[in-house]
mmCIF file of all heavy atoms in Angstrom:
data_model
loop_
_atom_site.group_PDB
_atom_site.id
_atom_site.type_symbol
_atom_site.label_atom_id
_atom_site.label_comp_id
_atom_site.label_asym_id
_atom_site.label_seq_id
_atom_site.Cartn_x
_atom_site.Cartn_y
_atom_site.Cartn_z
ATOM 1 N N TYR B 33 9.252 -28.726 -6.972
ATOM 2 C CA TYR B 33 10.379 -28.637 -6.036
ATOM 3 C C TYR B 33 10.481 -27.238 -5.432
ATOM 4 O O TYR B 33 10.136 -26.250 -6.058
ATOM 5 C CB TYR B 33 11.697 -28.986 -6.741
ATOM 6 C CG TYR B 33 11.717 -30.415 -7.221
ATOM 7 C CD1 TYR B 33 11.643 -30.720 -8.581
ATOM 8 C CD2 TYR B 33 11.761 -31.476 -6.310
ATOM 9 C CE1 TYR B 33 11.624 -32.033 -9.023
ATOM 10 C CE2 TYR B 33 11.740 -32.795 -6.748
ATOM 11 C CZ TYR B 33 11.669 -33.068 -8.095
ATOM 12 O OH TYR B 33 11.626 -34.353 -8.517
ATOM 13 N N LEU B 36 16.366 -22.650 -3.647
ATOM 14 C CA LEU B 36 16.879 -21.289 -3.529
ATOM 15 C C LEU B 36 18.123 -21.121 -4.385
ATOM 16 O O LEU B 36 18.809 -22.091 -4.731
ATOM 17 C CB LEU B 36 17.153 -20.892 -2.086
ATOM 18 C CG LEU B 36 17.906 -21.775 -1.127
ATOM 19 C CD1 LEU B 36 19.388 -21.615 -1.298
ATOM 20 C CD2 LEU B 36 17.516 -21.363 0.289
ATOM 21 N N ALA B 83 35.925 -20.756 -5.128
ATOM 22 C CA ALA B 83 36.043 -22.092 -4.534
ATOM 23 C C ALA B 83 35.600 -22.153 -3.068
ATOM 24 O O ALA B 83 34.870 -23.082 -2.694
ATOM 25 C CB ALA B 83 37.464 -22.622 -4.701
ATOM 26 N N LEU B 88 32.881 -28.599 -2.702
ATOM 27 C CA LEU B 88 32.754 -29.803 -3.534
ATOM 28 C C LEU B 88 33.547 -30.899 -2.836
ATOM 29 O O LEU B 88 34.458 -30.615 -2.053
ATOM 30 C CB LEU B 88 33.362 -29.557 -4.919
ATOM 31 C CG LEU B 88 32.758 -28.428 -5.764
ATOM 32 C CD1 LEU B 88 33.654 -28.149 -6.984
ATOM 33 C CD2 LEU B 88 31.352 -28.773 -6.228
ATOM 34 N N PRO B 105 42.653 -24.737 -10.520
ATOM 35 C CA PRO B 105 43.329 -25.616 -9.555
ATOM 36 C C PRO B 105 42.567 -25.764 -8.245
ATOM 37 O O PRO B 105 42.516 -26.871 -7.677
ATOM 38 C CB PRO B 105 44.686 -24.928 -9.338
ATOM 39 C CG PRO B 105 44.886 -24.085 -10.556
ATOM 40 C CD PRO B 105 43.531 -23.697 -11.059
ATOM 41 N N GLU B 116 34.744 -33.951 -19.025
ATOM 42 C CA GLU B 116 34.758 -32.969 -20.108
ATOM 43 C C GLU B 116 33.487 -33.077 -20.932
ATOM 44 O O GLU B 116 33.027 -34.175 -21.247
ATOM 45 C CB GLU B 116 35.981 -33.188 -20.991
ATOM 46 C CG GLU B 116 37.269 -32.860 -20.257
ATOM 47 C CD GLU B 116 38.459 -32.748 -21.201
ATOM 48 O OE1 GLU B 116 38.393 -33.357 -22.285
ATOM 49 O OE2 GLU B 116 39.413 -32.049 -20.851
ATOM 50 N N ALA B 123 26.860 -25.834 -28.398
ATOM 51 C CA ALA B 123 26.136 -24.571 -28.614
ATOM 52 C C ALA B 123 26.260 -24.143 -30.068
ATOM 53 O O ALA B 123 25.296 -23.689 -30.693
ATOM 54 C CB ALA B 123 26.680 -23.490 -27.675
ATOM 55 N N ALA B 173 19.311 -26.270 -24.971
ATOM 56 C CA ALA B 173 19.122 -27.003 -23.722
ATOM 57 C C ALA B 173 18.921 -28.497 -24.000
ATOM 58 O O ALA B 173 19.487 -29.364 -23.324
ATOM 59 C CB ALA B 173 17.933 -26.444 -22.950
ATOM 60 N N TRP B 231 12.297 -2.066 -6.313
ATOM 61 C CA TRP B 231 11.082 -2.870 -6.497
ATOM 62 C C TRP B 231 9.853 -2.046 -6.124
ATOM 63 O O TRP B 231 8.826 -2.099 -6.775
ATOM 64 C CB TRP B 231 11.182 -4.133 -5.632
ATOM 65 C CG TRP B 231 10.061 -5.104 -5.851
ATOM 66 C CD1 TRP B 231 10.014 -6.119 -6.764
ATOM 67 C CD2 TRP B 231 8.815 -5.148 -5.139
ATOM 68 N NE1 TRP B 231 8.818 -6.783 -6.664
ATOM 69 C CE2 TRP B 231 8.063 -6.213 -5.684
ATOM 70 C CE3 TRP B 231 8.256 -4.383 -4.100
ATOM 71 C CZ2 TRP B 231 6.785 -6.540 -5.227
ATOM 72 C CZ3 TRP B 231 6.988 -4.717 -3.641
ATOM 73 C CH2 TRP B 231 6.267 -5.784 -4.195
ATOM 74 N N GLY B 240 -0.928 4.110 -4.894
ATOM 75 C CA GLY B 240 -1.224 5.476 -4.478
ATOM 76 C C GLY B 240 -0.229 6.047 -3.492
ATOM 77 O O GLY B 240 -0.537 6.985 -2.764
ATOM 78 N N GLY B 272 24.013 -1.351 6.675
ATOM 79 C CA GLY B 272 24.870 -0.848 7.749
ATOM 80 C C GLY B 272 25.389 0.585 7.661
ATOM 81 O O GLY B 272 25.086 1.402 8.524
ATOM 82 N N THR B 281 18.194 10.383 13.959
ATOM 83 C CA THR B 281 16.767 10.571 13.695
ATOM 84 C C THR B 281 15.924 9.440 14.288
ATOM 85 O O THR B 281 14.732 9.615 14.525
ATOM 86 C CB THR B 281 16.554 10.722 12.181
ATOM 87 O OG1 THR B 281 17.362 11.819 11.742
ATOM 88 C CG2 THR B 281 15.102 11.006 11.841
ATOM 89 N N GLY B 283 16.368 8.380 17.261
ATOM 90 C CA GLY B 283 16.068 8.944 18.576
ATOM 91 C C GLY B 283 14.931 9.953 18.505
ATOM 92 O O GLY B 283 14.079 10.017 19.395
ATOM 93 N N MET B 287 11.542 9.811 20.544
ATOM 94 C CA MET B 287 11.212 10.905 21.461
ATOM 95 C C MET B 287 9.883 11.562 21.115
ATOM 96 O O MET B 287 9.057 11.827 21.994
ATOM 97 C CB MET B 287 12.348 11.931 21.406
ATOM 98 C CG MET B 287 12.223 13.069 22.371
ATOM 99 S SD MET B 287 12.333 12.453 24.065
ATOM 100 C CE MET B 287 13.355 13.706 24.810
ATOM 101 N N ASP B 314 25.003 -6.098 12.642
ATOM 102 C CA ASP B 314 24.356 -4.809 12.920
ATOM 103 C C ASP B 314 23.374 -4.890 14.067
ATOM 104 O O ASP B 314 22.663 -3.923 14.347
ATOM 105 C CB ASP B 314 23.595 -4.300 11.679
ATOM 106 C CG ASP B 314 24.513 -3.945 10.517
ATOM 107 O OD1 ASP B 314 25.748 -4.004 10.699
ATOM 108 O OD2 ASP B 314 23.992 -3.619 9.436
ATOM 109 N N PRO B 341 5.389 -11.287 5.915
ATOM 110 C CA PRO B 341 4.566 -11.048 7.108
ATOM 111 C C PRO B 341 5.286 -10.290 8.215
ATOM 112 O O PRO B 341 4.657 -9.509 8.931
ATOM 113 C CB PRO B 341 4.175 -12.462 7.574
ATOM 114 C CG PRO B 341 4.988 -13.417 6.787
ATOM 115 C CD PRO B 341 5.470 -12.712 5.571
ATOM 116 N N VAL B 347 5.057 -2.758 10.199
ATOM 117 C CA VAL B 347 4.294 -1.545 9.883
ATOM 118 C C VAL B 347 3.163 -1.377 10.892
ATOM 119 O O VAL B 347 2.944 -0.290 11.441
ATOM 120 C CB VAL B 347 3.723 -1.600 8.448
ATOM 121 C CG1 VAL B 347 3.035 -0.279 8.112
ATOM 122 C CG2 VAL B 347 4.814 -1.914 7.432
ATOM 123 N N ARG B 384 -3.045 3.251 13.463
ATOM 124 C CA ARG B 384 -2.610 4.407 14.231
ATOM 125 C C ARG B 384 -3.807 5.008 14.985
ATOM 126 O O ARG B 384 -4.894 5.106 14.438
ATOM 127 C CB ARG B 384 -2.032 5.445 13.268
ATOM 128 C CG ARG B 384 -1.337 6.592 13.946
ATOM 129 C CD ARG B 384 -0.830 7.637 12.959
ATOM 130 N NE ARG B 384 0.226 7.167 12.057
ATOM 131 C CZ ARG B 384 1.020 7.984 11.360
ATOM 132 N NH1 ARG B 384 0.902 9.290 11.483
ATOM 133 N NH2 ARG B 384 1.928 7.502 10.544
ATOM 134 N N HIS B 396 -3.556 18.111 23.745
ATOM 135 C CA HIS B 396 -2.885 17.294 24.764
ATOM 136 C C HIS B 396 -2.271 16.064 24.097
ATOM 137 O O HIS B 396 -2.710 14.946 24.291
ATOM 138 C CB HIS B 396 -3.923 16.868 25.805
ATOM 139 C CG HIS B 396 -3.345 16.635 27.154
ATOM 140 N ND1 HIS B 396 -4.111 16.532 28.291
ATOM 141 C CD2 HIS B 396 -2.057 16.490 27.573
ATOM 142 C CE1 HIS B 396 -3.328 16.310 29.338
ATOM 143 N NE2 HIS B 396 -2.080 16.283 28.929
ATOM 144 N N MET B 408 -2.869 10.828 18.109
ATOM 145 C CA MET B 408 -1.892 11.535 17.293
ATOM 146 C C MET B 408 -2.574 12.001 16.002
ATOM 147 O O MET B 408 -2.473 11.338 14.972
ATOM 148 C CB MET B 408 -0.773 10.545 16.975
ATOM 149 C CG MET B 408 0.282 11.075 16.074
ATOM 150 S SD MET B 408 1.376 9.730 15.522
ATOM 151 C CE MET B 408 2.353 10.686 14.364
ATOM 152 N N TRP B 418 -0.438 20.283 17.079
ATOM 153 C CA TRP B 418 0.616 19.944 18.031
ATOM 154 C C TRP B 418 1.956 19.998 17.313
ATOM 155 O O TRP B 418 2.009 19.964 16.074
ATOM 156 C CB TRP B 418 0.367 18.576 18.664
ATOM 157 C CG TRP B 418 0.284 17.424 17.709
ATOM 158 C CD1 TRP B 418 -0.785 17.068 16.944
ATOM 159 C CD2 TRP B 418 1.318 16.472 17.414
ATOM 160 N NE1 TRP B 418 -0.494 15.955 16.194
ATOM 161 C CE2 TRP B 418 0.783 15.568 16.462
ATOM 162 C CE3 TRP B 418 2.627 16.294 17.862
ATOM 163 C CZ2 TRP B 418 1.529 14.494 15.940
ATOM 164 C CZ3 TRP B 418 3.346 15.229 17.355
ATOM 165 C CH2 TRP B 418 2.804 14.347 16.406
ATOM 166 N N GLU B 464 11.572 -30.590 19.634
ATOM 167 C CA GLU B 464 11.720 -30.742 21.075
ATOM 168 C C GLU B 464 13.091 -31.337 21.340
ATOM 169 O O GLU B 464 13.643 -32.017 20.466
ATOM 170 C CB GLU B 464 10.660 -31.713 21.602
ATOM 171 C CG GLU B 464 9.312 -31.066 21.902
ATOM 172 C CD GLU B 464 9.428 -29.875 22.836
ATOM 173 O OE1 GLU B 464 10.280 -29.909 23.758
ATOM 174 O OE2 GLU B 464 8.694 -28.892 22.634
#
Side-chain angles (χ1 to χ4, degrees):
Chain B
Y33 296 109
L36 47 83
L88 300 169
E116 292 194 335
W231 186 89
T281 303
M287 185 65 139
D314 294 355
V347 185
R384 190 183 295 197
H396 208 166
M408 177 191 174
W418 59 281
E464 275 306 324

